[in-house]
Amino acid sequence: MDSGSSTSTRRRRIAIVVQYDGTSFNGWQSQSGGRTVQDEIERAVRILLKEETRVVASGRTDTGVHALGQVVHFDTDSDTTLQRLCIGMNGILPRDAAVINAYNVPRDFHARFGAVKREYRYL
């Protein structure tokens, strides 16, 4: 099921704010042959909520790039609380990735297409 679609049959859309140290990641987007942030977040959702879902990020990062405050959304049938979602995902995610907040958002919310600002720092 594509969680980016507004025609999804899932009951609820959640936005999470994540941060990660990209040193050991092959970027954001899921791909064969490398560890990605998207794969780790989807794995945490699958374990915690016991359902398969795709997550959609506000943008993609390249290999080795860190993120602070990246917005991600997904659809779910779960009624777990946002507090439990954050605590549970952080208990599953590896040490180099974390959920720093979660929000119930409208069904038409889209992390990528609804972003009003992106900030990049090259150091």
Side-chain angles (χ1 to χ4, degrees), residues 12-121:
R12 178 179 177 203
R13 181 161 288 185
I14 295 175
I16 57 175
V17 181
V18 299
Q19 62 186 28
Y20 50 89
D21 177 334
T23 303
S24 297
F25 287 108
N26 287 4
W28 164 266
Q29 190 169 8
S30 184
Q31 55 186 288
S32 62
R35 178 177 180 247
T36 69
V37 181
Q38 181 179 9
D39 289 342
E40 293 290 352
I41 295 202
E42 288 177 354
R43 182 181 71 83
V45 170
R46 183 174 56 252
I47 291 169
L48 182 65
L49 303 182
K50 311 267 190 286
E51 60 187 38
E52 293 287 333
T53 192
R54 297 293 287 177
V55 298
V56 176
S58 55
R60 296 180 295 191
T61 54
D62 292 330
T63 298
V65 173
H66 314 310
L68 297 171
Q70 184 172 20
V71 177
V72 176
H73 82 262
F74 63 93
D75 294 333
T76 181
D77 290 324
S78 173
D79 60 358
T80 193
T81 67
L82 297 175
Q83 181 180 18
R84 167 126 174 74
L85 180 77
C86 290
I87 292 168
M89 286 187 70
N90 284 329
I92 296 165
L93 286 168
R95 291 183 149 215
D96 51 1
V99 174
I100 56 176
N101 217 332
Y103 305 91
N104 287 307
V105 293
R107 300 285 302 153
D108 63 350
F109 174 88
H110 198 284
R112 180 175 169 208
F113 299 125
V116 294
K117 180 181 178 185
R118 290 181 178 91
E119 183 176 328
Y120 301 92
R121 264 188 227 166

